[in-house]
Amino acid sequence: DAKTTQPPSMDCAEGRAANLPCNHSTISGNEYVYWYRQIHSQGPQYIIHGLKNNETNEMASLIITEDRKSSTLILPHATLRDTAVYYCIVRVPYGNNRLAFGKGNQVVVIP
Amino acid sequence: DAGVTQSPTHLIKTRGQQVTLRCSPKSGHDTVSWYQQALGQGPQFIFQYYEEEERQRGNFPDRFSGHQFPNYSSELNVNALLLGDSALYLCASGQGYGTEAFFGQGTRLTVV
């Protein structure tokens, strides 16, 4: 079962930063926060993951609160191609490949 | 690098029939997982194969079975198809146990 809560949908303006929230209040000490996205009719795509420190890669930044009960995925300059369903998942990365997807957050980037 | 490839891309079957879906993992990957995604829902974990053995299984009936071959490719078999088995079936591969999963484009199965 999914252990995260996300808004079902949100809009954001093209060219602006998109901040996608996720609550994971029951996260365990050894669980990481993973983000995937799924563009229509495609398979999910890995974005980023982190344990407790903020992380950044070429796609996005991940901000995890100090108590680790919530996080925010930041798309720095949203484009129309970022329109997708975004999934926030918590999991132990070693010895367990299972990804427990919820319904995700349908993000629509508006021109 | 071809990434994760799945075949066929689309399939239509009749209730009661059997179906086999195929997956070739990304080069260098040895772990394959299968997911079922119903319309409007997130993907649901079916099972995972590593070293040619089923390592983990989700809440799916025995009608769902699989196999992993020595070249790490995998098959998903579904027997006695039901209308409710209509979904997008996704394959994901990884290198070793617990690494980030890379997904294929999926097979769209329609049961009529």
Side-chain angles (χ1 to χ4, degrees), chain A residues 72-94:
Chain A
T72 301
L73 180 74
I74 301 173
L75 308 177
H77 304 286
T79 71
L80 299 180
R81 287 174 294 181
D82 292 322
T83 292
V85 178
Y86 288 76
Y87 296 98
C88 170
I89 300 167
V90 296
R91 68 182 275 247
V92 176
Y94 301 106

PDB file of all heavy atoms in Angstrom, chain A residues 72-94:
ATOM      1  N   THR A  72       9.236  18.011  -1.025  1.00  0.00           N
ATOM      2  CA  THR A  72       8.782  18.775  -2.175  1.00  0.00           C
ATOM      3  C   THR A  72       9.697  18.510  -3.352  1.00  0.00           C
ATOM      4  O   THR A  72      10.934  18.594  -3.218  1.00  0.00           O
ATOM      5  CB  THR A  72       8.781  20.295  -1.881  1.00  0.00           C
ATOM      6  OG1 THR A  72       7.923  20.552  -0.771  1.00  0.00           O
ATOM      7  CG2 THR A  72       8.293  21.082  -3.085  1.00  0.00           C
ATOM      8  N   LEU A  73       9.121  18.161  -4.460  1.00  0.00           N
ATOM      9  CA  LEU A  73       9.871  18.036  -5.708  1.00  0.00           C
ATOM     10  C   LEU A  73       9.756  19.353  -6.439  1.00  0.00           C
ATOM     11  O   LEU A  73       8.650  19.871  -6.626  1.00  0.00           O
ATOM     12  CB  LEU A  73       9.299  16.910  -6.570  1.00  0.00           C
ATOM     13  CG  LEU A  73      10.015  16.692  -7.906  1.00  0.00           C
ATOM     14  CD1 LEU A  73      11.370  16.012  -7.672  1.00  0.00           C
ATOM     15  CD2 LEU A  73       9.164  15.864  -8.863  1.00  0.00           C
ATOM     16  N   ILE A  74      10.874  19.885  -6.847  1.00  0.00           N
ATOM     17  CA  ILE A  74      10.879  21.174  -7.538  1.00  0.00           C
ATOM     18  C   ILE A  74      11.374  20.995  -8.966  1.00  0.00           C
ATOM     19  O   ILE A  74      12.488  20.506  -9.198  1.00  0.00           O
ATOM     20  CB  ILE A  74      11.772  22.195  -6.810  1.00  0.00           C
ATOM     21  CG1 ILE A  74      11.287  22.408  -5.377  1.00  0.00           C
ATOM     22  CG2 ILE A  74      11.796  23.520  -7.568  1.00  0.00           C
ATOM     23  CD1 ILE A  74      12.201  23.275  -4.536  1.00  0.00           C
ATOM     24  N   LEU A  75      10.502  21.362  -9.902  1.00  0.00           N
ATOM     25  CA  LEU A  75      10.911  21.445 -11.309  1.00  0.00           C
ATOM     26  C   LEU A  75      11.254  22.909 -11.550  1.00  0.00           C
ATOM     27  O   LEU A  75      10.363  23.759 -11.540  1.00  0.00           O
ATOM     28  CB  LEU A  75       9.781  20.990 -12.226  1.00  0.00           C
ATOM     29  CG  LEU A  75       9.166  19.620 -11.922  1.00  0.00           C
ATOM     30  CD1 LEU A  75       8.008  19.341 -12.874  1.00  0.00           C
ATOM     31  CD2 LEU A  75      10.213  18.532 -12.002  1.00  0.00           C
ATOM     32  N   PRO A  76      12.517  23.255 -11.751  1.00  0.00           N
ATOM     33  CA  PRO A  76      12.934  24.665 -11.699  1.00  0.00           C
ATOM     34  C   PRO A  76      12.315  25.561 -12.772  1.00  0.00           C
ATOM     35  O   PRO A  76      11.989  26.713 -12.484  1.00  0.00           O
ATOM     36  CB  PRO A  76      14.454  24.590 -11.832  1.00  0.00           C
ATOM     37  CG  PRO A  76      14.730  23.258 -12.434  1.00  0.00           C
ATOM     38  CD  PRO A  76      13.630  22.351 -11.980  1.00  0.00           C
ATOM     39  N   HIS A  77      12.146  25.059 -13.957  1.00  0.00           N
ATOM     40  CA  HIS A  77      11.568  25.851 -15.051  1.00  0.00           C
ATOM     41  C   HIS A  77      10.639  24.922 -15.842  1.00  0.00           C
ATOM     42  O   HIS A  77      11.072  24.265 -16.781  1.00  0.00           O
ATOM     43  CB  HIS A  77      12.652  26.417 -15.963  1.00  0.00           C
ATOM     44  CG  HIS A  77      13.669  27.250 -15.255  1.00  0.00           C
ATOM     45  ND1 HIS A  77      13.405  28.529 -14.804  1.00  0.00           N
ATOM     46  CD2 HIS A  77      14.948  26.984 -14.896  1.00  0.00           C
ATOM     47  CE1 HIS A  77      14.475  29.011 -14.209  1.00  0.00           C
ATOM     48  NE2 HIS A  77      15.427  28.094 -14.239  1.00  0.00           N
ATOM     49  N   ALA A  78       9.395  24.859 -15.422  1.00  0.00           N
ATOM     50  CA  ALA A  78       8.470  23.893 -16.007  1.00  0.00           C
ATOM     51  C   ALA A  78       8.256  24.164 -17.503  1.00  0.00           C
ATOM     52  O   ALA A  78       8.106  25.318 -17.934  1.00  0.00           O
ATOM     53  CB  ALA A  78       7.139  23.935 -15.278  1.00  0.00           C
ATOM     54  N   THR A  79       8.241  23.083 -18.269  1.00  0.00           N
ATOM     55  CA  THR A  79       7.922  23.163 -19.696  1.00  0.00           C
ATOM     56  C   THR A  79       6.685  22.313 -19.964  1.00  0.00           C
ATOM     57  O   THR A  79       6.268  21.508 -19.118  1.00  0.00           O
ATOM     58  CB  THR A  79       9.080  22.650 -20.563  1.00  0.00           C
ATOM     59  OG1 THR A  79       9.170  21.225 -20.410  1.00  0.00           O
ATOM     60  CG2 THR A  79      10.407  23.278 -20.166  1.00  0.00           C
ATOM     61  N   LEU A  80       6.121  22.478 -21.140  1.00  0.00           N
ATOM     62  CA  LEU A  80       4.921  21.718 -21.492  1.00  0.00           C
ATOM     63  C   LEU A  80       5.194  20.213 -21.440  1.00  0.00           C
ATOM     64  O   LEU A  80       4.291  19.421 -21.137  1.00  0.00           O
ATOM     65  CB  LEU A  80       4.424  22.123 -22.877  1.00  0.00           C
ATOM     66  CG  LEU A  80       4.028  23.596 -23.049  1.00  0.00           C
ATOM     67  CD1 LEU A  80       3.546  23.850 -24.467  1.00  0.00           C
ATOM     68  CD2 LEU A  80       2.959  23.995 -22.042  1.00  0.00           C
ATOM     69  N   ARG A  81       6.448  19.822 -21.694  1.00  0.00           N
ATOM     70  CA  ARG A  81       6.807  18.406 -21.677  1.00  0.00           C
ATOM     71  C   ARG A  81       6.854  17.831 -20.269  1.00  0.00           C
ATOM     72  O   ARG A  81       7.021  16.623 -20.091  1.00  0.00           O
ATOM     73  CB  ARG A  81       8.156  18.196 -22.378  1.00  0.00           C
ATOM     74  CG  ARG A  81       8.090  18.344 -23.888  1.00  0.00           C
ATOM     75  CD  ARG A  81       9.462  18.272 -24.512  1.00  0.00           C
ATOM     76  NE  ARG A  81      10.291  19.400 -24.134  1.00  0.00           N
ATOM     77  CZ  ARG A  81      11.534  19.587 -24.550  1.00  0.00           C
ATOM     78  NH1 ARG A  81      12.095  18.705 -25.351  1.00  0.00           N
ATOM     79  NH2 ARG A  81      12.224  20.640 -24.184  1.00  0.00           N
ATOM     80  N   ASP A  82       6.760  18.696 -19.263  1.00  0.00           N
ATOM     81  CA  ASP A  82       6.713  18.221 -17.876  1.00  0.00           C
ATOM     82  C   ASP A  82       5.305  17.822 -17.452  1.00  0.00           C
ATOM     83  O   ASP A  82       5.110  17.348 -16.321  1.00  0.00           O
ATOM     84  CB  ASP A  82       7.259  19.292 -16.933  1.00  0.00           C
ATOM     85  CG  ASP A  82       8.757  19.509 -17.117  1.00  0.00           C
ATOM     86  OD1 ASP A  82       9.480  18.514 -17.341  1.00  0.00           O
ATOM     87  OD2 ASP A  82       9.190  20.682 -17.035  1.00  0.00           O
ATOM     88  N   THR A  83       4.319  18.033 -18.305  1.00  0.00           N
ATOM     89  CA  THR A  83       2.957  17.584 -17.991  1.00  0.00           C
ATOM     90  C   THR A  83       2.957  16.066 -17.867  1.00  0.00           C
ATOM     91  O   THR A  83       3.337  15.350 -18.789  1.00  0.00           O
ATOM     92  CB  THR A  83       1.978  18.028 -19.094  1.00  0.00           C
ATOM     93  OG1 THR A  83       1.852  19.450 -19.062  1.00  0.00           O
ATOM     94  CG2 THR A  83       0.610  17.390 -18.895  1.00  0.00           C
ATOM     95  N   ALA A  84       2.554  15.580 -16.680  1.00  0.00           N
ATOM     96  CA  ALA A  84       2.648  14.147 -16.392  1.00  0.00           C
ATOM     97  C   ALA A  84       1.993  13.871 -15.042  1.00  0.00           C
ATOM     98  O   ALA A  84       1.646  14.792 -14.295  1.00  0.00           O
ATOM     99  CB  ALA A  84       4.110  13.696 -16.347  1.00  0.00           C
ATOM    100  N   VAL A  85       1.857  12.596 -14.714  1.00  0.00           N
ATOM    101  CA  VAL A  85       1.485  12.193 -13.362  1.00  0.00           C
ATOM    102  C   VAL A  85       2.776  11.950 -12.587  1.00  0.00           C
ATOM    103  O   VAL A  85       3.640  11.193 -13.049  1.00  0.00           O
ATOM    104  CB  VAL A  85       0.619  10.914 -13.368  1.00  0.00           C
ATOM    105  CG1 VAL A  85       0.299  10.499 -11.930  1.00  0.00           C
ATOM    106  CG2 VAL A  85      -0.657  11.131 -14.163  1.00  0.00           C
ATOM    107  N   TYR A  86       2.893  12.605 -11.447  1.00  0.00           N
ATOM    108  CA  TYR A  86       4.090  12.491 -10.618  1.00  0.00           C
ATOM    109  C   TYR A  86       3.787  11.642  -9.392  1.00  0.00           C
ATOM    110  O   TYR A  86       2.804  11.877  -8.690  1.00  0.00           O
ATOM    111  CB  TYR A  86       4.583  13.880 -10.204  1.00  0.00           C
ATOM    112  CG  TYR A  86       5.213  14.634 -11.357  1.00  0.00           C
ATOM    113  CD1 TYR A  86       4.431  15.214 -12.333  1.00  0.00           C
ATOM    114  CD2 TYR A  86       6.601  14.725 -11.466  1.00  0.00           C
ATOM    115  CE1 TYR A  86       5.006  15.889 -13.411  1.00  0.00           C
ATOM    116  CE2 TYR A  86       7.192  15.399 -12.536  1.00  0.00           C
ATOM    117  CZ  TYR A  86       6.378  15.962 -13.506  1.00  0.00           C
ATOM    118  OH  TYR A  86       6.963  16.613 -14.565  1.00  0.00           O
ATOM    119  N   TYR A  87       4.634  10.661  -9.151  1.00  0.00           N
ATOM    120  CA  TYR A  87       4.453   9.739  -8.040  1.00  0.00           C
ATOM    121  C   TYR A  87       5.564   9.922  -7.010  1.00  0.00           C
ATOM    122  O   TYR A  87       6.748   9.917  -7.351  1.00  0.00           O
ATOM    123  CB  TYR A  87       4.503   8.286  -8.526  1.00  0.00           C
ATOM    124  CG  TYR A  87       3.399   7.890  -9.476  1.00  0.00           C
ATOM    125  CD1 TYR A  87       3.617   7.877 -10.848  1.00  0.00           C
ATOM    126  CD2 TYR A  87       2.149   7.496  -9.002  1.00  0.00           C
ATOM    127  CE1 TYR A  87       2.617   7.491 -11.730  1.00  0.00           C
ATOM    128  CE2 TYR A  87       1.145   7.108  -9.876  1.00  0.00           C
ATOM    129  CZ  TYR A  87       1.390   7.111 -11.230  1.00  0.00           C
ATOM    130  OH  TYR A  87       0.394   6.729 -12.097  1.00  0.00           O
ATOM    131  N   CYS A  88       5.156  10.056  -5.771  1.00  0.00           N
ATOM    132  CA  CYS A  88       6.076  10.106  -4.642  1.00  0.00           C
ATOM    133  C   CYS A  88       5.979   8.751  -3.931  1.00  0.00           C
ATOM    134  O   CYS A  88       4.877   8.315  -3.571  1.00  0.00           O
ATOM    135  CB  CYS A  88       5.667  11.251  -3.718  1.00  0.00           C
ATOM    136  SG  CYS A  88       6.507  11.312  -2.137  1.00  0.00           S
ATOM    137  N   ILE A  89       7.109   8.092  -3.715  1.00  0.00           N
ATOM    138  CA  ILE A  89       7.128   6.732  -3.167  1.00  0.00           C
ATOM    139  C   ILE A  89       8.197   6.657  -2.090  1.00  0.00           C
ATOM    140  O   ILE A  89       9.287   7.217  -2.257  1.00  0.00           O
ATOM    141  CB  ILE A  89       7.455   5.707  -4.273  1.00  0.00           C
ATOM    142  CG1 ILE A  89       6.403   5.765  -5.387  1.00  0.00           C
ATOM    143  CG2 ILE A  89       7.553   4.291  -3.701  1.00  0.00           C
ATOM    144  CD1 ILE A  89       6.830   5.032  -6.637  1.00  0.00           C
ATOM    145  N   VAL A  90       7.904   5.970  -0.988  1.00  0.00           N
ATOM    146  CA  VAL A  90       8.929   5.716   0.014  1.00  0.00           C
ATOM    147  C   VAL A  90       9.264   4.231  -0.011  1.00  0.00           C
ATOM    148  O   VAL A  90       8.381   3.390  -0.122  1.00  0.00           O
ATOM    149  CB  VAL A  90       8.499   6.157   1.432  1.00  0.00           C
ATOM    150  CG1 VAL A  90       8.288   7.665   1.467  1.00  0.00           C
ATOM    151  CG2 VAL A  90       7.247   5.448   1.885  1.00  0.00           C
ATOM    152  N   ARG A  91      10.531   3.934   0.076  1.00  0.00           N
ATOM    153  CA  ARG A  91      10.951   2.532   0.066  1.00  0.00           C
ATOM    154  C   ARG A  91      12.350   2.383   0.623  1.00  0.00           C
ATOM    155  O   ARG A  91      13.147   3.318   0.639  1.00  0.00           O
ATOM    156  CB  ARG A  91      10.914   1.976  -1.360  1.00  0.00           C
ATOM    157  CG  ARG A  91      11.937   2.570  -2.293  1.00  0.00           C
ATOM    158  CD  ARG A  91      11.800   2.008  -3.699  1.00  0.00           C
ATOM    159  NE  ARG A  91      12.509   0.752  -3.866  1.00  0.00           N
ATOM    160  CZ  ARG A  91      13.576   0.603  -4.654  1.00  0.00           C
ATOM    161  NH1 ARG A  91      14.073   1.625  -5.312  1.00  0.00           N
ATOM    162  NH2 ARG A  91      14.140  -0.576  -4.789  1.00  0.00           N
ATOM    163  N   VAL A  92      12.641   1.197   1.084  1.00  0.00           N
ATOM    164  CA  VAL A  92      13.996   0.829   1.449  1.00  0.00           C
ATOM    165  C   VAL A  92      14.687   0.412   0.162  1.00  0.00           C
ATOM    166  O   VAL A  92      14.208  -0.480  -0.525  1.00  0.00           O
ATOM    167  CB  VAL A  92      14.006  -0.326   2.468  1.00  0.00           C
ATOM    168  CG1 VAL A  92      15.438  -0.762   2.767  1.00  0.00           C
ATOM    169  CG2 VAL A  92      13.280   0.071   3.734  1.00  0.00           C
ATOM    170  N   PRO A  93      15.772   1.040  -0.213  1.00  0.00           N
ATOM    171  CA  PRO A  93      16.347   0.789  -1.527  1.00  0.00           C
ATOM    172  C   PRO A  93      17.085  -0.528  -1.676  1.00  0.00           C
ATOM    173  O   PRO A  93      17.287  -0.989  -2.788  1.00  0.00           O
ATOM    174  CB  PRO A  93      17.304   1.966  -1.727  1.00  0.00           C
ATOM    175  CG  PRO A  93      17.715   2.338  -0.344  1.00  0.00           C
ATOM    176  CD  PRO A  93      16.502   2.092   0.511  1.00  0.00           C
ATOM    177  N   TYR A  94      17.462  -1.160  -0.580  1.00  0.00           N
ATOM    178  CA  TYR A  94      18.261  -2.372  -0.719  1.00  0.00           C
ATOM    179  C   TYR A  94      17.469  -3.567  -0.243  1.00  0.00           C
ATOM    180  O   TYR A  94      16.819  -3.537   0.774  1.00  0.00           O
ATOM    181  CB  TYR A  94      19.574  -2.233   0.046  1.00  0.00           C
ATOM    182  CG  TYR A  94      20.370  -1.061  -0.452  1.00  0.00           C
ATOM    183  CD1 TYR A  94      20.459   0.111   0.291  1.00  0.00           C
ATOM    184  CD2 TYR A  94      20.980  -1.090  -1.698  1.00  0.00           C
ATOM    185  CE1 TYR A  94      21.168   1.196  -0.182  1.00  0.00           C
ATOM    186  CE2 TYR A  94      21.677  -0.003  -2.180  1.00  0.00           C
ATOM    187  CZ  TYR A  94      21.776   1.131  -1.415  1.00  0.00           C
ATOM    188  OH  TYR A  94      22.460   2.209  -1.890  1.00  0.00           O
TER     189      TYR A  94
END
